[in-house]
C-alpha cells in the first residue's frame, strides 16, 4: 500500500478530478470574479472579432468590397438584365432608264438615279429581374417566391452576415457554421 493513498487503491488518486481556483486580477491589483474550473472540463472557446486579426486597411477594404457587392447586386436586380434587338440595314438603289422616267426623276429629285439607305434597330423584348418575378408570379407563385428568396434575399443576407461576423466577437464554431451557409 502507498503512504499517500488512504483508501488502499493505488489508482484512486488518478481518477479523482482535481480542482483549482483561478482568480482574475485587474491591472490595478483588485481581484475580479473567482472562476472555479476543473482539469476535466473543456475550456470555453475564445471569442474574438475577425477584424482583430486583420489590419485596419484590410478592414476598410473588406467593408468597402462588401458594400460594393450590395450595390452591384441591387443594380443587377433593378436594371434590365438582357434585351433582344433586331438590326436592319436596307439599301435601295433606283435608276431611271426610259426618257419619261428620267424626265420625272430629274424634275422631282434633280438627277436620274436615287439611293435610299435605312439603318434601324427594333427592340423585340427586354427582361429585368423584377419583370421576371412579375411574369413568374402569374404562372407559379411558389417558384417566384423561391426565386426571390434564393437569388434576391439570400445573397444580401450572406453579405450582411459576413460583415457582422467581421466585427462582432463570436466563438469560432458558430462563426464557421454561419459562413458555410
Amino acid at each position: 500500500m502507498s503512504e499517500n493513498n488512504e483508501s488502499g487503491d493505488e489508482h484512486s488518486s488518478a481518477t479523482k478530478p482535481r480542482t483549482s481556483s483561478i482568480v482574475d486580477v485587474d491591472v490595478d491589483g483588485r481581484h475580479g470574479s473567482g472562476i472555479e474550473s476543473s482539469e476535466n472540463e473543456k475550456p470555453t472557446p475564445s471569442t474574438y472579432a475577425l477584424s482583430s486579426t486583420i489590419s485596419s486597411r484590410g478592414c476598410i477594404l473588406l467593408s468597402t468590397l462588401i458594400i460594393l457587392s450590395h450595390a452591384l447586386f441591387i443594380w443587377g436586380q433593378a436594371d434590365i438584365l438582357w434585351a433582344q434587338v433586331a438590326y436592319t440595314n436596307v439599301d435601295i438603289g433606283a435608276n431611271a432608264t426610259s426618257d419619261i422616267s428620267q424626265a420625272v426623276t430629274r424634275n422631282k429629285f434633280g438627277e436620274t438615279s436615287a439611293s435610299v439607305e435605312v439603318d434601324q434597330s427594333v427592340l423585340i423584348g427586354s427582361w429585368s429581374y423584377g419583370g421576371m418575378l412579375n411574369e413568374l408570379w402569374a404562372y407559379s407563385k411558389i417558384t417566384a417566391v423561391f426565386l426571390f428568396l434564393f437569388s434576391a434575399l439570400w445573397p444580401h443576407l450572406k453579405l450582411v452576415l459576413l460583415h457582422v461576423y467581421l466585427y462582432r466577437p463570436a466563438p469560432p464554431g458558430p462563426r464557421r457554421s454561419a459562413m458555410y451557409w
Side-chain angles (χ1 to χ4, degrees):
M1 265 196 219
S2 169
E3 295 176 12
N4 298 337
N5 193 353
E6 295 175 8
S7 66
D9 189 346
E10 293 181 25
H11 301 289
S12 66
S13 64
T15 58
K16 291 181 185 176
R18 297 180 190 171
T19 59
S20 62
S21 218
I22 300 172
V23 178
D24 295 334
V25 178
D26 291 341
V27 177
D28 60 358
R30 291 182 293 157
H31 290 288
S33 61
I35 301 173
E36 295 287 329
S37 69
S38 171
E39 289 179 5
N40 295 340
E41 290 180 15
K42 290 183 179 179
T44 59
S46 62
T47 60
Y48 61 93
L50 285 177
S51 61
S52 66
T53 63
I54 303 172
S55 69
S56 60
R57 285 185 187 172
C59 288
I60 292 170
L61 179 66
L62 276 173
S63 292
T64 304
L65 288 175
I66 290 170
I67 292 169
L68 182 64
S69 296
H70 276 294
L72 288 174
F73 267 129
I74 291 170
W75 177 49
Q77 292 167 347
D79 202 11
I80 293 176
L81 297 175
W82 67 89
Q84 189 174 18
V85 179
Y87 295 100
T88 59
N89 183 357
V90 179
D91 189 9
I92 301 172
N95 288 323
T97 55
S98 69
D99 292 335
I100 296 173
S101 62
Q102 286 179 354
V104 170
T105 54
R106 196 173 292 124
N107 285 339
K108 187 76 171 164
F109 300 111
E111 48 185 86
T112 60
S113 64
S115 71
V116 177
E117 186 175 325
V118 177
D119 287 328
Q120 189 177 17
S121 62
V122 177
L123 179 66
I124 295 173
S126 64
W127 295 271
S128 66
Y129 184 76
M132 286 189 306
L133 282 176
N134 284 336
E135 196 168 323
L136 193 56
W137 185 261
Y139 295 107
S140 173
K141 290 176 179 40
I142 190 75
T143 308
V145 167
F146 275 112
L147 181 67
F148 176 76
L149 285 177
F150 290 110
S151 64
L153 192 63
W154 189 250
H156 291 289
L157 182 63
K158 283 291 292 178
L159 286 171
V160 166
L161 281 175
L162 177 67
H163 215 179
V164 164
Y165 278 113
L166 178 65
Y167 292 106
R168 182 173 181 253
R175 179 180 30 234
R176 189 177 314 112
S177 63
M179 294 301 164
Y180 282 149
W181 283 96

